[in-house]
Amino acid sequence: MAATKTAAVSSGTKRKIQKNYSKGGGKNNNNKKSKTTTTNTKELSSSAQRRILKHERQSHRRHADIVLEAKNIWNKLRLKTNTKEQVKELEEDLLKLLLMSSSDKAEGTLVGEIALQHDASRVVQAAIQFATTPEQRLQLTQALSSQMVEISKNPYAHFCVLKVIQYGHTHDATVRALLQTFKGNLCKLSVHAVGARVIEMLFSTLSSKQTRALRQEYYGPHFSLFNDNAEEIGNTLAENLKRQPQHEAVSREFLYRNILSKGMEKNLYGFGYFQQLLWEYVEVLPDDEFVSSLLSQLSEQALHLISTRAGTKVVMRCIARGTAKDRRKIMKALKGYARSSLMHRDAYLAILQLILVTDDTVTLHRLCLAELLSDGDDKDDDDEKEEEKTHPLMEFALDENASKLFLMLLISDDEEERRKYLDPLELEVLETTSSTSKKDPELRRKELVTYLTPALRSLCMNHASELSNSIPGTKVLLQAYKCFDDDDDIVKAYLDLDVATEHAVEHYFLQHVIACKKKTTFADALWKQLQNSDGDVNVINSRQAFVILSLFQQQKEKQGSSLSLSGITSQRLQQVLKTKKAAKEPTAGIEALLKFIDGQKKPTEKKPTEKKPTEKKP
């Protein structure tokens, strides 16, 4: 009954209110102005209504008036048509506005709070970017210092810190102020999703000397707090432990627990500083602990790790210490990226390590080497002639690093010759043997080179001219000549090269092929070609003379008798030498060839001249 009575009262009240409104009295008369405003708002477009609501919301935020005025200056400041005087004037106005402090706040708090607003952080970024003097950036850095850590964690505000690093890294005072704000907070920022971007740019922009003291926080308080002597501070964990080996267990535990384990959970593998720390940890970790704790997890992240030299070293350690299953994981991770990895300045080392220790050559060819033989482009032009298409191996053969893959496979069981093509750093990190590899290295090399033989032969036969003009290409040509037994087509392609070339690289290649003691096929064919030529062999330049001299020396060593070619005489060489000297052109090759030709002549026997005895004066 009570519920029914309440409902009746409510319905009755509702009818009375409707009656009053219909008569034009009550609240309807008092709110005529409000009704008119609502009607005007409804008449505006939807975008205009949203704009009004946006401005109304922004007006309730902190420092709304300052932010609005700063945005107006920012809109003028970012115009590319501004002159230097206009930029300077606008920058000074913006700095005065941002660096002003309210009466109840400490100096610098205002600009920090503005930077933390997602719609106003770009104003602070512009103030840092367009600062006309280093002192202005220093002033802004100091103003942000009290909230720098909080700003570095904010998805919008952290760009302000990136701007400070980008535009202030050349000013020592700004760098010192910046590093001071990160002191004691480095580990927390390094494993933060947003803060990691700031730390990445900090270490990639500043030198190791500038960040050396700050990096000690990664290795534990015993290094960050008690190393006052700058000479005792190392750049890496290994250097620190070499000076203080008693802290090895504690430092490794601190680095893994506070940085590496958290970073691996958050997938920070793509950051350079994290890869560097990961390598420093792996470098001092015993092999048995590495295999049991990290190897399997890191093998799956190979593609991310090979972006830097430190990360590539970690992957190489996984390849060398891992089992066949672990290597298969790494090859699957790199599937589809073999071409780009081989052309990368660091990642190519991981590919080299794979071919040196992987026993499963079938899987290696299917997942990695087969990709090298593809054109790399999905589009095929039917109208394009096949001769005009670029060979799939051409870009690798011309690259200084990628060509080493072919050299490692083409060189037979000659470790000394193989090491000749590697620089000291590569020799240091590459492991030619592995305790988990059982196949004979020479058998493994032959199986892998068999897959690439047809492509390498066609490369050398059809593109010898292009390869002979680059240093990496000539190394591939030389080793292919030594490796392949059935080399008639290759020798024919090499004979088409111009002996009288003036190219700085090509003439060296011809000399090396001629002087090859393992095979003399090319030298014999070239000697026969020059002997059977219709006309005389004319020496045109110094580099051609060096090539002919190498041919003479090789044939003399083989035949053991004096040799001659039509047109190569002492008299002609002297005339050419005189002409070249008058034109101030290089003559070293012509002089060396002339000396060799004259040395073949039998010297005439001369009678010894008798010395007259000198009369002694009394």
Side-chain angles (χ1 to χ4, degrees):
M1 293 293 292
T4 306
K5 187 176 181 180
T6 304
V9 171
S10 300
S11 59
T13 306
K14 185 177 181 181
R15 283 195 297 270
K16 288 180 181 180
I17 293 172
Q18 289 176 351
K19 186 177 180 181
N20 291 334
Y21 270 76
S22 63
K23 290 180 179 180
K27 293 182 180 180
N28 191 36
N29 291 332
N30 296 333
N31 291 335
K32 282 183 179 180
K33 186 176 180 180
S34 176
K35 186 177 180 180
T36 305
T37 306
T38 306
T39 305
N40 293 336
T41 305
K42 289 182 179 179
E43 291 176 357
L44 297 175
S45 63
S46 59
S47 60
Q49 291 179 19
R50 287 196 300 269
R51 197 178 301 113
I52 291 172
L53 291 174
K54 178 182 176 182
H55 289 318
E56 186 179 355
R57 285 197 306 269
Q58 290 177 347
S59 64
H60 297 297
R61 293 179 182 174
R62 304 179 70 180
H63 318 299
D65 297 336
I66 298 175
V67 170
L68 182 60
E69 188 177 351
K71 281 184 177 180
N72 293 331
I73 300 175
W74 169 60
N75 283 324
K76 298 175 184 178
L77 182 60
R78 63 179 179 157
L79 295 177
K80 295 183 179 180
T81 56
N82 290 336
T83 62
K84 291 183 178 180
E85 291 75 14
Q86 290 174 329
V87 171
K88 185 177 180 181
E89 183 180 352
L90 291 169
E91 176 68 20
E92 289 176 355
D93 295 341
L94 186 58
L95 284 175
K96 289 177 183 178
L97 189 63
L98 291 177
L99 295 176
M100 62 181 292
S101 58
S102 52
S103 58
D104 58 337
K105 291 188 175 295
E107 181 71 28
T109 308
L110 179 65
V111 64
E113 291 180 354
I114 292 175
L116 288 168
Q117 296 182 18
H118 75 277
D119 60 335
S121 64
R122 293 198 179 190
V123 176
V124 182
Q125 295 174 39
I128 298 169
Q129 178 179 350
F130 293 103
T132 54
T133 62
E135 287 73 19
Q136 290 178 340
R137 290 197 184 96
L138 175 60
Q139 199 174 3
L140 285 167
T141 305
Q142 292 172 343
L144 294 169
S145 60
S146 61
Q147 297 170 281
M148 189 72 78
V149 176
E150 184 183 357
I151 291 172
S152 299
K153 295 179 181 180
N154 188 284
Y156 303 100
H158 83 282
F159 289 104
C160 298
V161 188
L162 298 183
K163 291 289 184 182
V164 172
I165 299 172
Q166 180 182 358
Y167 293 99
H169 70 276
T170 56
H171 190 235
D172 293 338
T174 304
V175 171
R176 286 195 299 269
L178 186 65
L179 294 176
Q180 187 63 31
T181 59
F182 290 131
K183 191 174 182 181
N185 298 286
L186 184 64
C187 293
K188 292 181 180 179
L189 287 175
S190 297
V191 293
H192 191 273
V194 179
R197 305 175 194 172
V198 176
I199 301 302
E200 174 73 2
M201 189 167 188
L202 182 73
F203 286 122
S204 62
T205 305
L206 302 182
S207 65
S208 59
K209 184 178 180 181
Q210 291 173 310
T211 59
R212 183 186 302 172
L214 185 65
R215 286 179 59 87
Q216 304 308 308
E217 294 186 18
Y218 287 135
Y219 312 134
H222 39 279
F223 286 115
S224 61
L225 298 178
F226 305 111
N227 266 343
D228 296 331
N229 190 359
E231 296 179 356
E232 296 181 0
I233 298 177
N235 285 321
T236 63
L237 178 60
E239 291 180 7
N240 281 333
L241 295 180
K242 189 176 181 181
R243 296 183 177 93
Q244 302 181 34
Q246 68 273 17
H247 299 309
E248 180 176 354
V250 180
S251 296
R252 279 185 5 217
E253 177 65 22
F254 183 89
L255 178 59
Y256 182 78
R257 185 179 68 253
N258 293 281
I259 306 295
L260 299 181
S261 62
K262 296 178 181 179
M264 287 188 286
E265 289 177 3
K266 296 182 179 181
N267 289 322
L268 300 180
Y269 296 102
F271 291 99
Y273 76 90
F274 186 79
Q275 295 182 16
Q276 177 63 35
L277 291 174
L278 194 58
W279 167 245
E280 291 180 17
Y281 178 74
V282 170
E283 188 180 15
V284 299
L285 192 67
D287 287 345
D288 54 347
E289 293 185 31
F290 170 71
V291 171
S292 61
S293 61
L294 287 176
L295 194 147
S296 180
Q297 185 176 0
L298 295 178
S299 298
E300 298 173 354
Q301 304 295 333
L303 184 60
H304 299 287
L305 292 173
I306 58 176
S307 59
T308 65
R309 178 58 62 96
T312 304
K313 289 180 182 179
V314 175
V315 176
M316 294 171 68
R317 182 65 61 91
C318 294
I319 295 170
R321 301 291 185 272
T323 61
K325 184 178 180 180
D326 296 319
R327 295 189 186 109
R328 198 173 294 112
K329 280 184 184 179
I330 295 173
M331 287 187 283
K332 286 183 179 179
L334 299 179
K335 184 180 179 181
Y337 297 92
R339 292 184 69 91
S340 58
S341 298
L342 199 56
M343 296 295 292
H344 192 268
R345 68 181 186 277
D346 299 317
Y348 76 97
L349 289 169
I351 306 295
L352 294 184
Q353 188 66 70
L354 278 172
I355 68 169
L356 289 176
V357 298
T358 303
D359 291 341
D360 190 358
T361 56
V362 176
T363 304
L364 180 58
H365 171 257
R366 180 170 54 88
L367 296 179
C368 293
L369 297 184
E371 184 185 342
L372 305 183
L373 300 176
S374 63
D375 292 336
D377 297 328
D378 296 333
K379 298 179 180 179
D380 294 328
D381 297 328
D382 297 334
D383 298 334
E384 187 179 9
K385 294 182 179 180
E386 189 174 353
E387 293 81 14
E388 296 178 356
K389 291 183 179 180
T390 304
H391 196 280
L393 299 183
M394 174 63 78
E395 62 175 339
F396 304 123
L398 296 177
D399 186 77
E400 184 179 359
N401 295 327
S403 61
K404 293 175 183 178
L405 170 68
F406 304 138
L407 299 177
M408 295 299 101
L409 294 178
L410 291 172
I411 298 174
S412 59
D413 194 10
D414 189 349
E415 190 65 27
E416 193 169 323
E417 186 176 3
R418 188 177 295 172
R419 293 172 66 90
K420 182 176 66 175
Y421 291 109
L422 300 175
D423 59 44
L425 183 60
E426 293 167 341
L427 292 173
E428 181 184 352
V429 298
L430 280 173
E431 299 186 32
T432 56
T433 58
S434 174
S435 58
T436 57
S437 299
K438 300 179 180 179
K439 187 177 289 187
D440 180 60
E442 182 61 17
L443 177 60
R444 185 191 306 122
R445 183 197 68 82
K446 288 181 179 179
E447 290 176 355
L448 290 174
V449 79
T450 302
Y451 296 125
L452 297 177
T453 294
L456 285 173
R457 288 179 64 87
S458 65
L459 175 68
C460 295
M461 287 187 296
N462 301 327
H463 301 278
S465 178
E466 297 95 314
L467 293 173
S468 64
N469 291 335
S470 72
I471 294 177
T474 56
K475 294 176 182 178
V476 175
L477 289 175
L478 180 61
Q479 293 305 325
Y481 169 71
K482 293 180 180 180
C483 177
F484 299 137
D485 295 330
D486 186 14
D487 59 352
D488 293 340
D489 295 333
I490 293 179
V491 170
K492 185 178 179 181
Y494 291 2
L495 288 173
D496 291 338
L497 299 176
D498 187 9
V499 179
T501 179
E502 292 193 23
H503 196 277
V505 178
E506 187 175 356
H507 88 284
Y508 275 121
F509 164 68
L510 292 172
Q511 291 182 62
H512 282 96
V513 179
I514 292 170
C516 179
K517 295 183 179 180
K518 186 177 180 180
K519 292 176 69 175
T520 61
T521 313
F522 174 74
D524 296 340
L526 181 60
W527 179 261
K528 186 176 180 181
Q529 184 184 50
L530 293 178
Q531 279 187 326
N532 297 336
S533 59
D534 296 335
D536 295 339
V537 179
N538 297 320
V539 176
I540 302 174
N541 54 65
S542 178
R543 285 172 175 165
Q544 179 197 11
F546 275 123
V547 174
I548 295 175
L549 175 61
S550 299
L551 187 60
F552 267 113
Q553 291 172 341
Q554 188 271 339
Q555 289 295 314
K556 184 176 182 181
E557 184 178 350
K558 182 179 180 181
Q559 299 180 17
S561 59
S562 59
L563 306 168
S564 63
L565 280 176
S566 176
I568 308 296
T569 62
S570 177
Q571 185 177 1
R572 279 196 178 186
L573 290 176
Q574 287 177 355
Q575 293 177 354
V576 175
L577 180 62
K578 185 177 180 181
T579 304
K580 294 295 180 183
K581 283 185 176 181
K584 295 183 179 181
E585 296 181 6
T587 59
I590 302 172
E591 292 175 356
L593 180 59
L594 179 61
K595 185 178 180 180
F596 177 85
I597 297 297
D598 291 340
Q600 288 193 122
K601 298 178 182 179
K602 295 182 179 180
T604 56
E605 297 182 358
K606 296 183 179 180
K607 295 181 180 180
T609 56
E610 297 181 358
K611 295 183 179 180
K612 295 181 180 180
T614 56
E615 297 180 358
K616 295 182 179 180
K617 295 182 179 180

